[in-house]
Amino acid sequence: MSFHSMWAELLPVGRSSASGGYRRFAWTGADADCRAWFKDQAESRGLAYEVDRNGNQWAWLGDPAAGDAVVTGSHLDSVPDGGAFDGPLGVVSSFAALDELRGRGARFTRPLAIANFGDEEGARFGIACAGSRLTTGQLTAEQAHRLTDADGVTLPQAMERAGYDPSRLGPDPERLARIGAFVELHVEQGRALDLSGDAVGVASAIWPHGRWRFDFRGEANHAGTTRLVDRRDPMLPYAEAVLAARGEAERAGAVATFGKISVEPNGVNAIPSLVRAWLDSRAPDEPTLDTVVTGIEKAARGHAATYGVELAVSRESFTPVVEFEHALRDELTRILGEKAGRPVPVLGTGAGHDAGILSAAVPTAMLFVRNPTGVSHSPAEFAAEDDCVTGVTALADVLEGLACK
Ligand code: GLV
Ligand code: MN
Ligand code: MN
């Protein structure tokens, strides 16, 4: 099946007709449809299909137990109203690259696997890359069991309802020991390739990043009758924290975003009792990230005190800086550079990926495909089909160089 047909098949799955964006959240019906599609692609190619203890899907060519496997793939879930490419481009390109290699008559000397890592975006339970974090032990089974979604459904309940067994969640060192290299192809989430005029690039590093929850607790009261001086309105220090985040990030050359809030009681004519807000912040290095988040928290605490509001801050996830393994990265740039007859760009990113999580346990690398506007995590995310096909060939070249004679 061509890249075009696979892409067209997956395109309607989990798409909101209202926004045009995707709502493929972990363990929902849309996620199940994406997983069924993956299984179908694996089986129709005669690949050995399996789901690991953390719900990640695998499609194997060759004997997994032989070890030193070359693994490629990405994720199929999305952020709320995400684009079509973040995740699925890597999975569809992996199957298409295998087809291309078979068409070339490639002879594999190492096992090859295609993976779909579960719950990469953390849109439902808050933890990004939950599937790969569980596998590497960066998220423990106990922590995973305590996660709940906005409706109070726990992660184990959601898994069970989707037909998976949550009692098996946990680290998977045996599976990791089978992997010799993981290569993830991903749509670029910036404009570096557009500016350099290249369809494909290789990743150098991922900025450190984390997510923090700010609970501002005040006092619910009547919006019409409560004098301003008598209010303990948590929306006010929250608003100051948003501005502080912008200022701290600007000063440090970092980014900081309050992109999600939940308000109680959430009434148009009620002063809120609680504003719960999530901060996502990323920076070129860990000390800078620490400075930014400490600065935001300090400002938020000061403003909370001024307005008579209590503030509790908790870190929900943290991913240290990832410097992709130089030997594998250099191998990729050599393979692609030789094919292209010119050097391929090597670029860093502020976005998180399963390749970043897995890099703690196995050598990992990434390929990026040009995104002309750089927009991502939005329905406007885009890559031209010609560039996607160039990405497939680049991935096939890389896999051939790593896994074939
Ligand atoms: C995932 O795409 C992230 O960078 O948050
Ligand atoms: Mn993403
Ligand atoms: Mn992604």
Side-chain angles (χ1 to χ4, degrees):
M1 195 186 258
S2 67
F3 174 89
H4 183 84
S5 321
M6 280 190 279
W7 194 252
E9 228 175 63
L10 206 46
L11 213 51
V13 179
R15 188 165 192 212
S16 152
S17 52
S19 67
Y22 289 87
R23 298 177 184 173
R24 294 168 174 164
F25 309 139
W27 312 117
T28 60
D31 188 44
D33 290 347
C34 289
R35 287 168 173 275
W37 175 88
F38 182 97
K39 183 169 187 272
D40 200 46
Q41 294 302 320
E43 290 177 347
S44 67
R45 288 173 174 80
L47 305 175
Y49 171 77
E50 56 176 353
V51 181
D52 69 24
R53 57 192 304 171
N54 297 309
N56 306 307
Q57 294 180 296
W58 299 79
W60 286 92
L61 177 72
D63 178 9
D68 201 28
V70 176
V71 182
T72 185
S74 189
H75 62 97
L76 293 173
D77 69 315
S78 79
V79 296
D81 287 330
F85 295 82
D86 178 355
L89 184 63
V91 179
V92 172
S93 298
S94 297
F95 285 114
L98 172 60
D99 294 346
E100 188 165 326
L101 288 177
R102 282 176 157 169
R104 290 181 196 175
R107 289 190 38 227
F108 289 86
T109 53
R110 294 167 75 177
L112 178 82
I114 297 173
N116 167 32
F117 286 99
D119 201 2
E120 194 271 353
E121 299 287 8
R124 184 168 176 193
F125 295 101
I127 301 291
C129 302
S132 54
R133 270 184 213 276
L134 277 159
T135 297
T136 56
Q138 293 171 60
L139 172 69
T140 65
E142 294 70 32
Q143 289 168 326
H145 275 262
R146 286 199 298 271
L147 296 174
T148 53
D149 72 6
D151 299 321
V153 178
T154 66
L155 175 67
Q157 285 167 340
M159 274 185 90
E160 244 162 23
R161 286 176 198 171
Y164 293 80
D165 175 9
S167 71
R168 296 181 60 241
L169 289 175
D172 204 345
E174 282 167 22
R175 179 167 296 274
L176 290 169
R178 294 173 178 173
I179 305 173
F182 175 63
V183 180
E184 179 171 2
L185 177 146
H186 205 277
V187 68
E188 198 200 346
Q189 295 166 294
R191 287 194 55 222
L193 292 173
D194 186 54
L195 295 171
S196 69
D198 294 278
V200 174
V202 173
S204 56
I206 302 181
W207 280 15
H209 67 274
R211 298 178 180 187
W212 290 261
R213 195 177 94 191
F214 285 56
D215 284 354
F216 296 91
R217 283 182 197 278
E219 185 178 51
N221 213 330
H222 196 293
T225 59
T226 317
R227 296 187 317 156
L228 293 180
V229 291
D230 291 337
R231 296 180 180 209
R232 291 175 50 219
D233 181 351
M235 194 61 84
L236 298 170
Y238 163 65
E240 297 282 5
V242 174
L243 298 174
R246 176 68 183 229
E248 292 290 339
E250 258 167 15
R251 275 189 289 284
V255 287
T257 310
F258 280 100
K260 175 177 169 180
I261 61 169
S262 109
V263 178
E264 289 177 15
N266 210 21
V268 68
N269 54 356
I271 297 160
S273 56
L274 170 71
V275 173
R276 175 165 289 160
W278 283 265
L279 170 71
D280 175 311
S281 187
R282 312 173 190 218
D285 55 69
E286 288 171 34
T288 307
L289 180 55
D290 190 50
T291 304
V292 169
V293 176
T294 306
I296 297 168
E297 182 174 342
K298 187 161 175 258
R301 287 200 184 284
H303 290 292
T306 305
Y307 292 111
V309 166
E310 283 159 27
L311 172 62
V313 179
S314 55
R315 192 175 82 178
E316 292 201 329
S317 72
F318 182 77
T319 312
V321 66
V322 173
E323 177 82 23
F324 286 109
E325 206 215 39
H326 288 196
L328 185 60
R329 183 189 79 190
D330 294 349
E331 181 67 358
L332 262 57
T333 53
R334 186 192 62 75
I335 293 168
L336 297 179
E338 273 175 15
K339 287 270 176 184
R342 66 190 183 111
V344 286
V346 179
L347 41 131
T349 176
H353 301 285
D354 293 308
I357 301 300
L358 292 172
S359 71
V362 298
T364 64
M366 292 190 74
L367 294 179
F368 291 126
V369 171
R370 174 165 49 198
N371 171 350
T373 61
V375 173
S376 187
H377 285 186
S378 142
E381 182 180 84
F382 180 70
E385 188 161 330
D386 278 359
D387 285 350
C388 295
V389 171
T390 302
V392 169
T393 299
L395 182 60
D397 291 340
V398 163
L399 297 177
E400 186 170 29
L402 295 176
C404 302
K405 271 217 172 78

PDB file of all heavy atoms in Angstrom, residues 347-371:
ATOM      1  N   LEU A 347      19.593  19.587  13.275  1.00  0.00           N
ATOM      2  CA  LEU A 347      18.898  20.640  14.022  1.00  0.00           C
ATOM      3  C   LEU A 347      18.348  20.163  15.350  1.00  0.00           C
ATOM      4  O   LEU A 347      17.984  19.001  15.495  1.00  0.00           O
ATOM      5  CB  LEU A 347      17.762  21.237  13.169  1.00  0.00           C
ATOM      6  CG  LEU A 347      16.908  20.304  12.337  1.00  0.00           C
ATOM      7  CD1 LEU A 347      15.442  20.603  12.556  1.00  0.00           C
ATOM      8  CD2 LEU A 347      17.253  20.521  10.866  1.00  0.00           C
ATOM      9  N   GLY A 348      18.268  21.075  16.292  1.00  0.00           N
ATOM     10  CA  GLY A 348      17.695  20.792  17.610  1.00  0.00           C
ATOM     11  C   GLY A 348      16.208  21.097  17.601  1.00  0.00           C
ATOM     12  O   GLY A 348      15.677  21.651  16.646  1.00  0.00           O
ATOM     13  N   THR A 349      15.536  20.689  18.685  1.00  0.00           N
ATOM     14  CA  THR A 349      14.100  20.963  18.767  1.00  0.00           C
ATOM     15  C   THR A 349      13.671  21.191  20.210  1.00  0.00           C
ATOM     16  O   THR A 349      14.294  20.661  21.137  1.00  0.00           O
ATOM     17  CB  THR A 349      13.267  19.804  18.165  1.00  0.00           C
ATOM     18  OG1 THR A 349      11.877  20.088  18.347  1.00  0.00           O
ATOM     19  CG2 THR A 349      13.577  18.479  18.846  1.00  0.00           C
ATOM     20  N   GLY A 350      12.600  21.943  20.371  1.00  0.00           N
ATOM     21  CA  GLY A 350      12.012  22.144  21.695  1.00  0.00           C
ATOM     22  C   GLY A 350      10.901  21.155  21.982  1.00  0.00           C
ATOM     23  O   GLY A 350      10.330  21.163  23.059  1.00  0.00           O
ATOM     24  N   ALA A 351      10.563  20.292  21.010  1.00  0.00           N
ATOM     25  CA  ALA A 351       9.449  19.355  21.203  1.00  0.00           C
ATOM     26  C   ALA A 351       9.938  18.052  21.812  1.00  0.00           C
ATOM     27  O   ALA A 351      11.062  17.625  21.568  1.00  0.00           O
ATOM     28  CB  ALA A 351       8.768  19.070  19.868  1.00  0.00           C
ATOM     29  N   GLY A 352       9.066  17.413  22.586  1.00  0.00           N
ATOM     30  CA  GLY A 352       9.413  16.127  23.192  1.00  0.00           C
ATOM     31  C   GLY A 352       9.050  14.961  22.277  1.00  0.00           C
ATOM     32  O   GLY A 352       8.153  15.084  21.436  1.00  0.00           O
ATOM     33  N   HIS A 353       9.756  13.845  22.424  1.00  0.00           N
ATOM     34  CA  HIS A 353       9.521  12.677  21.561  1.00  0.00           C
ATOM     35  C   HIS A 353       9.853  11.397  22.320  1.00  0.00           C
ATOM     36  O   HIS A 353      10.729  11.381  23.190  1.00  0.00           O
ATOM     37  CB  HIS A 353      10.407  12.752  20.315  1.00  0.00           C
ATOM     38  CG  HIS A 353      10.174  13.968  19.490  1.00  0.00           C
ATOM     39  ND1 HIS A 353       9.072  14.115  18.684  1.00  0.00           N
ATOM     40  CD2 HIS A 353      10.882  15.126  19.362  1.00  0.00           C
ATOM     41  CE1 HIS A 353       9.118  15.295  18.085  1.00  0.00           C
ATOM     42  NE2 HIS A 353      10.200  15.930  18.484  1.00  0.00           N
ATOM     43  N   ASP A 354       9.235  10.280  21.886  1.00  0.00           N
ATOM     44  CA  ASP A 354       9.600   8.980  22.448  1.00  0.00           C
ATOM     45  C   ASP A 354      11.085   8.694  22.240  1.00  0.00           C
ATOM     46  O   ASP A 354      11.717   8.057  23.085  1.00  0.00           O
ATOM     47  CB  ASP A 354       8.757   7.867  21.814  1.00  0.00           C
ATOM     48  CG  ASP A 354       7.288   7.976  22.204  1.00  0.00           C
ATOM     49  OD1 ASP A 354       7.002   8.056  23.413  1.00  0.00           O
ATOM     50  OD2 ASP A 354       6.431   8.008  21.299  1.00  0.00           O
ATOM     51  N   ALA A 355      11.646   9.159  21.122  1.00  0.00           N
ATOM     52  CA  ALA A 355      13.084   8.942  20.866  1.00  0.00           C
ATOM     53  C   ALA A 355      13.919   9.562  21.984  1.00  0.00           C
ATOM     54  O   ALA A 355      14.976   9.036  22.346  1.00  0.00           O
ATOM     55  CB  ALA A 355      13.486   9.520  19.516  1.00  0.00           C
ATOM     56  N   GLY A 356      13.438  10.678  22.531  1.00  0.00           N
ATOM     57  CA  GLY A 356      14.151  11.324  23.634  1.00  0.00           C
ATOM     58  C   GLY A 356      14.091  10.481  24.895  1.00  0.00           C
ATOM     59  O   GLY A 356      15.078  10.335  25.613  1.00  0.00           O
ATOM     60  N   ILE A 357      12.923   9.912  25.165  1.00  0.00           N
ATOM     61  CA  ILE A 357      12.765   9.065  26.359  1.00  0.00           C
ATOM     62  C   ILE A 357      13.608   7.796  26.213  1.00  0.00           C
ATOM     63  O   ILE A 357      14.350   7.414  27.120  1.00  0.00           O
ATOM     64  CB  ILE A 357      11.271   8.696  26.547  1.00  0.00           C
ATOM     65  CG1 ILE A 357      10.421   9.964  26.700  1.00  0.00           C
ATOM     66  CG2 ILE A 357      11.088   7.750  27.726  1.00  0.00           C
ATOM     67  CD1 ILE A 357      10.773  10.839  27.865  1.00  0.00           C
ATOM     68  N   LEU A 358      13.498   7.157  25.057  1.00  0.00           N
ATOM     69  CA  LEU A 358      14.220   5.890  24.850  1.00  0.00           C
ATOM     70  C   LEU A 358      15.731   6.085  24.828  1.00  0.00           C
ATOM     71  O   LEU A 358      16.482   5.133  25.052  1.00  0.00           O
ATOM     72  CB  LEU A 358      13.760   5.236  23.538  1.00  0.00           C
ATOM     73  CG  LEU A 358      12.311   4.730  23.546  1.00  0.00           C
ATOM     74  CD1 LEU A 358      11.901   4.286  22.153  1.00  0.00           C
ATOM     75  CD2 LEU A 358      12.131   3.572  24.526  1.00  0.00           C
ATOM     76  N   SER A 359      16.168   7.316  24.565  1.00  0.00           N
ATOM     77  CA  SER A 359      17.617   7.552  24.464  1.00  0.00           C
ATOM     78  C   SER A 359      18.323   7.270  25.795  1.00  0.00           C
ATOM     79  O   SER A 359      19.536   7.092  25.824  1.00  0.00           O
ATOM     80  CB  SER A 359      17.916   8.976  24.003  1.00  0.00           C
ATOM     81  OG  SER A 359      17.599   9.873  25.032  1.00  0.00           O
ATOM     82  N   ALA A 360      17.546   7.219  26.889  1.00  0.00           N
ATOM     83  CA  ALA A 360      18.158   6.875  28.179  1.00  0.00           C
ATOM     84  C   ALA A 360      18.572   5.405  28.205  1.00  0.00           C
ATOM     85  O   ALA A 360      19.403   5.008  29.026  1.00  0.00           O
ATOM     86  CB  ALA A 360      17.161   7.145  29.309  1.00  0.00           C
ATOM     87  N   ALA A 361      17.992   4.590  27.325  1.00  0.00           N
ATOM     88  CA  ALA A 361      18.244   3.141  27.381  1.00  0.00           C
ATOM     89  C   ALA A 361      18.894   2.573  26.126  1.00  0.00           C
ATOM     90  O   ALA A 361      19.620   1.587  26.211  1.00  0.00           O
ATOM     91  CB  ALA A 361      16.925   2.406  27.628  1.00  0.00           C
ATOM     92  N   VAL A 362      18.607   3.175  24.959  1.00  0.00           N
ATOM     93  CA  VAL A 362      19.153   2.634  23.703  1.00  0.00           C
ATOM     94  C   VAL A 362      19.610   3.795  22.816  1.00  0.00           C
ATOM     95  O   VAL A 362      19.127   4.918  22.972  1.00  0.00           O
ATOM     96  CB  VAL A 362      18.092   1.794  22.931  1.00  0.00           C
ATOM     97  CG1 VAL A 362      17.651   0.588  23.725  1.00  0.00           C
ATOM     98  CG2 VAL A 362      16.890   2.633  22.536  1.00  0.00           C
ATOM     99  N   PRO A 363      20.513   3.544  21.860  1.00  0.00           N
ATOM    100  CA  PRO A 363      20.885   4.626  20.936  1.00  0.00           C
ATOM    101  C   PRO A 363      19.669   5.032  20.091  1.00  0.00           C
ATOM    102  O   PRO A 363      18.987   4.162  19.544  1.00  0.00           O
ATOM    103  CB  PRO A 363      21.962   3.984  20.043  1.00  0.00           C
ATOM    104  CG  PRO A 363      22.445   2.784  20.798  1.00  0.00           C
ATOM    105  CD  PRO A 363      21.274   2.319  21.610  1.00  0.00           C
ATOM    106  N   THR A 364      19.383   6.315  20.054  1.00  0.00           N
ATOM    107  CA  THR A 364      18.229   6.786  19.269  1.00  0.00           C
ATOM    108  C   THR A 364      18.647   7.931  18.363  1.00  0.00           C
ATOM    109  O   THR A 364      19.654   8.605  18.610  1.00  0.00           O
ATOM    110  CB  THR A 364      17.076   7.284  20.167  1.00  0.00           C
ATOM    111  OG1 THR A 364      17.526   8.423  20.901  1.00  0.00           O
ATOM    112  CG2 THR A 364      16.599   6.222  21.135  1.00  0.00           C
ATOM    113  N   ALA A 365      17.853   8.129  17.315  1.00  0.00           N
ATOM    114  CA  ALA A 365      18.087   9.234  16.378  1.00  0.00           C
ATOM    115  C   ALA A 365      16.752   9.652  15.790  1.00  0.00           C
ATOM    116  O   ALA A 365      15.771   8.907  15.880  1.00  0.00           O
ATOM    117  CB  ALA A 365      19.044   8.786  15.265  1.00  0.00           C
ATOM    118  N   MET A 366      16.720  10.848  15.199  1.00  0.00           N
ATOM    119  CA  MET A 366      15.470  11.311  14.584  1.00  0.00           C
ATOM    120  C   MET A 366      15.725  11.953  13.227  1.00  0.00           C
ATOM    121  O   MET A 366      16.771  12.572  13.007  1.00  0.00           O
ATOM    122  CB  MET A 366      14.780  12.350  15.478  1.00  0.00           C
ATOM    123  CG  MET A 366      14.247  11.773  16.771  1.00  0.00           C
ATOM    124  SD  MET A 366      13.199  12.956  17.647  1.00  0.00           S
ATOM    125  CE  MET A 366      11.705  12.936  16.639  1.00  0.00           C
ATOM    126  N   LEU A 367      14.726  11.798  12.356  1.00  0.00           N
ATOM    127  CA  LEU A 367      14.706  12.521  11.088  1.00  0.00           C
ATOM    128  C   LEU A 367      13.527  13.485  11.133  1.00  0.00           C
ATOM    129  O   LEU A 367      12.456  13.120  11.612  1.00  0.00           O
ATOM    130  CB  LEU A 367      14.461  11.547   9.917  1.00  0.00           C
ATOM    131  CG  LEU A 367      15.529  10.510   9.623  1.00  0.00           C
ATOM    132  CD1 LEU A 367      15.083   9.635   8.451  1.00  0.00           C
ATOM    133  CD2 LEU A 367      16.837  11.211   9.279  1.00  0.00           C
ATOM    134  N   PHE A 368      13.722  14.702  10.634  1.00  0.00           N
ATOM    135  CA  PHE A 368      12.621  15.652  10.558  1.00  0.00           C
ATOM    136  C   PHE A 368      12.260  15.910   9.097  1.00  0.00           C
ATOM    137  O   PHE A 368      13.140  15.974   8.234  1.00  0.00           O
ATOM    138  CB  PHE A 368      13.007  16.991  11.209  1.00  0.00           C
ATOM    139  CG  PHE A 368      13.150  16.897  12.706  1.00  0.00           C
ATOM    140  CD1 PHE A 368      14.310  17.317  13.329  1.00  0.00           C
ATOM    141  CD2 PHE A 368      12.119  16.404  13.493  1.00  0.00           C
ATOM    142  CE1 PHE A 368      14.455  17.242  14.707  1.00  0.00           C
ATOM    143  CE2 PHE A 368      12.259  16.321  14.877  1.00  0.00           C
ATOM    144  CZ  PHE A 368      13.417  16.742  15.480  1.00  0.00           C
ATOM    145  N   VAL A 369      10.958  16.073   8.844  1.00  0.00           N
ATOM    146  CA  VAL A 369      10.469  16.390   7.493  1.00  0.00           C
ATOM    147  C   VAL A 369       9.942  17.826   7.513  1.00  0.00           C
ATOM    148  O   VAL A 369       9.230  18.216   8.449  1.00  0.00           O
ATOM    149  CB  VAL A 369       9.357  15.396   7.080  1.00  0.00           C
ATOM    150  CG1 VAL A 369       8.690  15.839   5.784  1.00  0.00           C
ATOM    151  CG2 VAL A 369       9.937  13.995   6.929  1.00  0.00           C
ATOM    152  N   ARG A 370      10.286  18.564   6.475  1.00  0.00           N
ATOM    153  CA  ARG A 370       9.954  20.004   6.389  1.00  0.00           C
ATOM    154  C   ARG A 370       8.467  20.285   6.623  1.00  0.00           C
ATOM    155  O   ARG A 370       7.599  19.595   6.106  1.00  0.00           O
ATOM    156  CB  ARG A 370      10.355  20.506   5.000  1.00  0.00           C
ATOM    157  CG  ARG A 370       9.947  21.944   4.717  1.00  0.00           C
ATOM    158  CD  ARG A 370      10.664  22.497   3.520  1.00  0.00           C
ATOM    159  NE  ARG A 370      10.615  21.630   2.349  1.00  0.00           N
ATOM    160  CZ  ARG A 370      11.454  21.735   1.311  1.00  0.00           C
ATOM    161  NH1 ARG A 370      12.393  22.666   1.297  1.00  0.00           N
ATOM    162  NH2 ARG A 370      11.350  20.906   0.284  1.00  0.00           N
ATOM    163  N   ASN A 371       8.240  21.336   7.383  1.00  0.00           N
ATOM    164  CA  ASN A 371       6.893  21.825   7.693  1.00  0.00           C
ATOM    165  C   ASN A 371       6.925  23.304   7.314  1.00  0.00           C
ATOM    166  O   ASN A 371       7.520  24.105   8.028  1.00  0.00           O
ATOM    167  CB  ASN A 371       6.659  21.608   9.202  1.00  0.00           C
ATOM    168  CG  ASN A 371       5.395  22.242   9.727  1.00  0.00           C
ATOM    169  OD1 ASN A 371       4.735  23.019   9.051  1.00  0.00           O
ATOM    170  ND2 ASN A 371       5.067  21.913  10.960  1.00  0.00           N
TER     171      ASN A 371
END
